[in-house]
Amino acid sequence: MPKDSPQVSLDALIRREAFEVQGQQSQNIGRNIPMISVRDLEPNSFFYPFLRKPDFQRETNEWDAEKICSFIESFLDGDLIPAVILWRSSSSYYFVIDGSHRLSSLIAWINDDYGDGKISKEFYDGDITDEQKNAAQETRKLIKKKIGSYKDYQSLTQKQGQLDPKMLDRARNLGASGIQLQWLEGDAAKAEDSFFKINQKATPIGETEIRLLKARKMPNGIAARAIMRSGSGHKYWSDFSQEKQDEVEKLAQEIHKLIFEPKLKNPIKTLDVPIVGNLPPSEKLELILEFVNLVNGIQEDKELGEDLIGDKTIELLKNCVKLARRINSNDPSSLGLHPIVYFYTNLGKPKIGSFYGVVSLILHLEKTKYLSKFTEVRKDFEWVIWQDDMIPEIVRKSKAVEAHEKVKQFYLEIINKLLNGVDKKNIIKEIVAEKKFGSLKTKIKANTSDSQGKKFSGETKTAAFLRDALPKVPRCKICGGYLHSHSISIDHIQRRADGGNATLDNAQLTHPYCNTTFKN
């Protein structure tokens, strides 16, 4: 199996639930159960339907196909498996404090659902990405090959003589083996505290993820979760009125579509790419949370407090929609920034630092009413940032919390130098010499390392396509910047107010903003 085998999404297999009222005690009933069997994880059992994850549990998507298969194989062979830690609430739900991936892997095997089955389809309202489907298919294929499906073991009694002895031994083990349980005592506060301590020791949770987990009832946390899954999955906003739930989902879907669609395919053979390319789930969630916070000027999560009715969450999402439309959409306010030029390297790698920088830049240009000045020099600005890609170096030399501000300042420096008449070919040389951004080195475009090989790598194929395709992209007839297919306006060369007709000779392609605002 390739080293970069994709992570498998098992997030739908154990439903999330809030711990309810802080202070509630755990139930004594159940703590005498030492283990659960395979039968207990079947859909019609008396155990599985009441199994839950805490609503602050991160997504169950850290394991790849090989690890899932290896775990199930260990279970079938009777190997020693760490106990799963559960806490039973007063509502009689069994909350998984530790062991979500272990249980979810077995549930996936039992239900033949590795992120694309019946349970997952219901959880995601049928909206499952191609990436998730491919990972599921890869997992199913590997398990079928190495250990067999759960249905294969269920049918053994009818055809024992036709199967190999090892499979029969494993089938016998299934009848007697199970997952050892350890029960946590105490109230909901202790259960939550235990969850964070246990998970930090096992697989450290990143700083941003901890923020998000603890901000699960705050508007920025709810907004980020909604955008992450395009309004589907576990509804952290389910306490809002139905009208507000619908609005949260509608806004989240639009934001997700504007930023992450269409799905990026490698090697790149089209200029119709998303603003942000493919990211692992944890990085994608981090980007979304930072985007929500940047757009809304949120410095600390504790500034916000919990959102009990949904008004603040909707306010944050509306601001994010407005900004995402401004970047690249068919909205009249759209600058139509071409994703390839602003958010990718010439090898097709996403530049997250550029995304944060552009968001910060747009907010600054709006606040200072400087968008028209940017538009005046936009053609040369795009030439500079595409020819000399300094952003990755600036981001590397900056602390995470200040990187987006540094990138914004770098872009403003380019804009101001162009407005002051500096030749575009000398811009980067001047910036490097002035050392406002530390010791930077001018560099040519990144190159691929397979020039001596006989087969082109994906990066080389992408670089070749972008090299030949970008010069052919149409340009805005007003500002001269690149046009993107998602953000084109048809403008009257001679205004309608001045007698201009809707003839072909009087039509020109422009950015929506250039047509509706800058020109006027």
Side-chain angles (χ1 to χ4, degrees):
M1 181 158 299
K3 292 182 180 179
D4 59 348
S5 180
Q7 295 165 313
V8 182
S9 179
L10 305 178
D11 201 47
L13 302 180
I14 302 177
R15 290 177 57 187
R16 283 184 173 80
E17 194 79 35
F19 272 161
E20 300 166 3
V21 181
Q22 293 295 310
Q24 68 166 322
Q25 296 295 317
S26 64
Q27 284 272 41
N28 290 325
I29 300 173
R31 288 185 311 197
N32 59 343
I33 303 174
M35 70 163 56
I36 52 173
S37 69
V38 167
R39 292 287 187 186
D40 292 321
L41 298 178
E42 291 181 352
N44 59 352
S45 74
F46 291 105
F47 182 85
Y48 174 58
F50 303 102
L51 191 62
R52 294 290 186 271
K53 288 182 290 198
D55 62 352
F56 48 80
Q57 164 75 285
R58 52 182 167 176
E59 291 204 15
T60 312
N61 55 16
E62 296 295 320
W63 288 12
D64 61 13
E66 190 70 53
K67 192 163 185 177
I68 292 170
C69 183
S70 177
F71 172 77
I72 297 170
E73 191 171 23
S74 295
F75 178 80
L76 289 171
D77 290 339
D79 295 341
L80 180 63
I81 294 173
V84 170
I85 301 177
L86 300 181
W87 177 79
R88 191 178 189 195
S89 70
S90 58
S91 57
S92 297
Y93 285 128
Y94 305 106
F95 281 93
V96 183
I97 303 301
D98 183 51
S100 179
H101 276 85
R102 278 166 271 158
L103 283 179
S104 296
S105 295
L106 281 177
I107 294 166
W109 182 59
I110 292 165
N111 293 277
D112 191 31
D113 187 345
Y114 303 97
D116 65 346
K118 181 180 178 182
I119 301 171
S120 294
K121 286 177 182 176
E122 290 177 357
F123 183 76
Y124 295 120
D125 295 329
D127 184 18
I128 298 176
T129 66
D130 290 339
E131 184 179 27
Q132 186 168 322
K133 290 177 183 177
N134 292 338
Q137 290 167 5
E138 181 181 317
T139 307
R140 187 175 291 108
K141 182 178 179 181
L142 179 66
I143 285 175
K144 185 73 175 176
K145 177 182 177 183
K146 293 189 72 173
I147 57 179
S149 69
Y150 184 64
K151 286 185 177 180
D152 291 337
Y153 288 88
Q154 286 180 310
S155 62
L156 281 178
T157 53
Q158 282 75 39
K159 50 180 180 180
Q160 291 186 29
Q162 303 171 31
L163 297 174
D164 62 71
K166 187 171 185 179
M167 197 166 184
L168 284 171
D169 285 341
R170 286 173 168 173
R172 296 187 188 103
N173 288 342
L174 274 177
S177 60
I179 295 285
Q180 295 293 322
L181 299 181
Q182 179 180 335
W183 292 90
L184 183 69
E185 298 184 24
D187 63 13
K190 182 177 180 181
E192 180 171 342
D193 185 56
S194 298
F195 171 85
F196 280 106
K197 286 181 179 178
I198 291 168
N199 282 274
Q200 274 293 82
K201 290 177 182 177
T203 305
I205 306 174
E207 181 181 345
T208 300
E209 195 165 9
I210 289 178
R211 282 172 54 207
L212 185 61
L213 295 176
K214 292 186 175 181
R216 63 190 181 277
K217 294 183 180 179
M218 297 178 186
N220 59 334
I222 297 171
R225 293 287 191 185
I227 296 169
M228 176 70 179
R229 277 295 177 180
S230 193
S232 65
H234 178 73
K235 297 188 177 184
Y236 291 85
W237 50 95
S238 60
D239 288 340
F240 304 161
S241 69
Q242 188 60 53
E243 181 181 357
K244 289 178 182 176
Q245 287 186 49
D246 292 342
E247 188 165 8
V248 166
E249 291 164 18
K250 180 180 177 182
L251 291 167
Q253 287 166 9
E254 181 176 356
I255 296 166
H256 190 279
K257 182 176 181 180
L258 288 171
I259 296 177
F260 299 107
E261 297 180 18
K263 188 70 176 177
L264 183 68
K265 295 182 179 179
N266 288 308
I268 294 175
K269 296 180 181 180
T270 175
L271 294 177
D272 187 14
V273 297
I275 291 172
V276 175
N278 301 335
L279 296 175
S282 59
E283 292 181 26
K284 182 178 178 181
L285 191 54
E286 179 179 348
L287 178 136
I288 293 169
L289 179 60
E290 292 304 322
F291 173 67
V292 172
N293 287 347
L294 261 178
V295 171
N296 291 283
I298 300 169
Q299 301 294 325
E300 297 286 342
D301 298 327
K302 59 185 179 183
E303 295 176 13
L304 301 171
E306 294 185 359
D307 186 8
L308 302 178
I309 60 175
D311 288 347
K312 190 63 179 178
T313 300
I314 290 171
E315 178 187 333
L316 300 188
L317 287 170
K318 284 182 175 178
N319 291 336
C320 290
V321 164
K322 182 180 177 183
L323 197 286
R325 288 173 179 171
R326 174 75 86 178
I327 295 175
N328 188 14
S329 71
N330 59 7
D331 189 82
S333 68
S334 177
L335 297 171
L337 304 183
H338 201 297
I340 288 294
V341 177
Y342 287 84
F343 307 118
Y344 291 82
T345 69
N346 71 312
L347 300 180
K349 300 291 185 182
K351 295 192 299 183
I352 304 307
S354 293
F355 174 74
Y356 292 142
V358 166
V359 170
S360 298
L361 175 67
I362 291 175
L363 292 169
H364 176 83
L365 295 177
E366 289 179 338
K367 183 178 180 180
T368 58
K369 303 188 185 303
Y370 219 57
L371 279 170
S372 61
K373 292 296 184 182
F374 165 70
T375 303
E376 289 176 19
V377 298
R378 176 169 170 172
K379 181 179 180 181
D380 288 342
F381 177 85
E382 292 181 350
W383 185 91
V384 172
I385 66 172
W386 183 249
Q387 291 298 316
D388 294 282
D389 187 9
M390 310 297 291
I391 302 304
E393 189 175 358
I394 291 173
V395 171
R396 279 196 302 272
K397 292 177 180 290
S398 305
K399 295 180 180 178
V401 294
E402 64 181 25
H404 66 85
E405 182 66 20
K406 287 279 189 181
V407 175
K408 180 195 82 175
Q409 292 298 336
F410 177 74
Y411 285 152
L412 284 173
E413 194 71 18
I414 297 173
I415 292 170
N416 288 328
K417 286 184 179 294
L418 289 171
L419 288 170
N420 289 328
V422 178
D423 188 285
K424 65 182 181 182
K425 296 179 182 178
N426 297 324
I427 297 287
I428 297 300
K429 292 178 183 177
E430 286 196 8
I431 291 176
V432 170
E434 291 164 356
K435 295 188 176 181
K436 291 182 179 179
F437 302 93
S439 299
L440 300 176
K441 295 180 181 179
T442 55
K443 15 173 132 171
I444 58 173
K445 282 291 187 181
N447 208 339
T448 54
S449 58
D450 66 345
S451 57
Q452 302 301 317
K454 294 184 178 180
K455 290 186 177 181
F456 293 122
S457 68
E459 287 186 349
T460 300
K461 291 177 181 178
T462 292
F465 172 78
L466 296 181
R467 178 198 63 197
D468 293 346
L470 196 59
K472 299 174 185 176
V473 172
R475 291 179 176 272
C476 173
K477 297 300 182 183
I478 294 176
C479 76
Y482 289 105
L483 287 171
H484 187 256
S485 58
H486 293 185
S487 191
I488 295 177
S489 179
I490 309 299
D491 175 45
H492 288 74
I493 298 173
Q494 182 183 20
R495 304 168 191 268
R496 284 181 290 177
D498 298 331
N501 295 320
T503 61
L504 181 60
D505 291 341
N506 197 42
Q508 62 180 359
L509 303 183
T510 68
H511 298 116
Y513 170 81
C514 293
N515 182 7
T516 62
T517 305
F518 180 76
K519 180 178 177 180
N520 298 320

